Amino acid sequence: MKILNCPLNGPRNISEFVYGGEVTEMPDPNACSDAEWADYVLMENNTAGVIREWWYHAATAYWFVAERNTVTDEVVRTYPAGALFKERVAFGPPTEEGGR
């Protein structure tokens, strides 16, 4: 059984979690093109080595960040998303072109 340490709930069975993708820098949602936004939302770098990933504990609806080695599948550490992100992102109203 694989165990993942949730920063909120402690060590839990991996079946309680959902992978949310790589943590990457978000483009300005009010200024980027649709192609840039799609690239941010849908594409992954697929880097070999230690990367930051979003993880979601389904039982408590808690999002957090894990640093995981993609070569060995070892989770190096986990921590609350607030350790990386200090402010919320404000999304503007949709534009006439249908974008953000």
Side-chain angles (χ1 to χ4, degrees):
M1 166 180 7
K2 187 170 182 176
I3 303 294
L4 183 59
N5 186 39
C6 176
L8 180 65
N9 303 291
R12 312 295 295 177
N13 187 305
I14 194 74
S15 66
E16 295 182 20
F17 299 93
V18 178
Y19 171 74
E22 294 179 37
V23 175
T24 56
E25 187 174 342
M26 184 175 74
D28 181 347
N30 299 312
C32 69
S33 69
D34 287 345
E36 289 170 320
W37 188 254
D39 185 59
Y40 167 71
V41 172
L42 301 172
M43 301 303 290
E44 293 189 1
N45 294 324
N46 200 22
T47 304
V50 177
I51 64 168
R52 289 181 178 149
E53 300 172 327
W54 285 107
W55 283 86
Y56 177 74
H57 185 240
T60 57
Y62 181 72
W63 283 98
F64 62 95
V65 176
E67 292 180 4
R68 183 177 65 90
N69 187 322
T70 60
V71 175
T72 64
D73 199 31
E74 173 193 9
V75 175
V76 177
R77 70 183 186 133
T78 60
Y79 45 91
L84 280 179
F85 303 99
K86 303 297 182 196
E87 57 189 56
R88 298 178 80 71
V89 175
F91 289 88
T95 64
E96 288 183 21
E97 296 82 34
R100 287 140 317 277

